[in-house]
Amino acid sequence: MNIVLFHSTHGLRPAVREAADRLRAAGHEVWTPDLFEGRTFDSVEEGMAFKDGIGKDELLRRAVLAAAPYSERGLVYAGFSLGASIAQTLALGDDKARGLLLLHGTSDVAPNARVDELPVQLHVAEPDPFETDDWLSAWYLQMRRAGADVEVYRYAGAGHVYTDPELPDYDAEAAEATWRVALGFLETL
């Protein structure tokens, strides 16, 4: 499977590279675009401020340019938190998308978004300050209405970006469960 994996507001940190290596070890080809051009951040607040300085349109432009050389192959779009929202936006706009793997985040669903049973898997903390229960319920319904085949996995007590061992949110048990399920999902695509 060809996978483009987008980083969170923390930037292209070692955990993203390690995730890509894990996916490669399972036989996938993986690209990890650096949308922050080398900048990384220890806090969500610093990363969000940097992201806001870049602007949503520029960030999406960078993501589209990074994915474009591979999209003809039929990509699985994946991402962490902010990167998940970017992956979702790109996958819903790419009729060749093979799947969508969301870790720690979602995004608005355009009212006119339409996909043909796009396989989608979301892994998110429970509770998550950025992905509230009400938001996730509405998101799920909108994704189903758009035609996506959605699976949601919640991890009680985990922090927001619980798969990054260098962040305070890290939860080893939830991270391993996430990767086990996600790798199984990718095998079905």
Side-chain angles (χ1 to χ4, degrees):
M1 197 58 48
N2 298 298
I3 302 169
V4 61
L5 179 63
F6 294 103
H7 61 75
S8 72
T9 57
H10 293 282
L12 187 57
R13 297 167 52 86
V16 178
R17 291 185 182 96
E18 290 165 12
D21 288 342
R22 183 186 292 241
L23 295 169
R24 288 182 188 109
H28 304 290
E29 191 163 354
V30 184
W31 298 274
T32 54
D34 186 350
L35 304 179
F36 285 1
E37 300 175 332
R39 299 285 307 271
T40 60
F41 302 95
D42 291 327
S43 76
V44 171
E45 295 77 18
E46 290 173 316
M48 292 294 280
F50 184 75
K51 173 200 71 101
D52 291 344
I54 294 170
K56 183 178 180 178
D57 290 343
E58 174 61 17
L59 206 58
L60 283 174
R61 185 188 74 75
R62 291 177 184 184
V64 168
L65 288 174
Y70 315 107
S71 64
E72 285 298 315
R73 301 179 188 193
L75 286 171
V76 172
Y77 291 90
F80 298 94
S81 191
L82 167 69
S85 70
I86 291 168
Q88 177 186 309
T89 300
L90 269 58
L92 293 180
D94 181 354
D95 60 358
K96 289 183 173 53
R98 300 279 305 274
L100 176 59
L101 176 60
L102 304 171
L103 303 165
H104 323 298
T106 61
S107 184
D108 295 328
V109 179
N112 62 344
R114 297 289 176 267
V115 292
D116 187 15
E117 296 182 21
L118 178 71
V120 177
Q121 194 174 84
L122 169 65
H123 297 267
V124 65
E126 181 179 30
D128 187 309
F130 300 101
E131 302 289 327
T132 64
D133 290 343
D134 288 347
W135 168 264
L136 287 173
S137 294
W139 173 85
Y140 177 85
L141 293 172
Q142 291 167 357
M143 288 293 283
R144 294 290 299 151
R145 202 171 306 121
D149 181 12
V150 182
E151 298 176 350
V152 178
Y153 294 86
R154 305 288 305 267
Y155 299 88
H160 177 61
V161 183
Y162 61 82
T163 57
D164 187 331
E166 295 181 354
L167 294 176
D169 289 345
Y170 182 62
D171 183 313
E173 186 177 324
E176 282 309 308
T178 294
W179 286 116
R180 187 172 47 255
V181 172
L183 289 169
F185 168 70
L186 293 170
E187 288 302 314
T188 69
L189 303 180

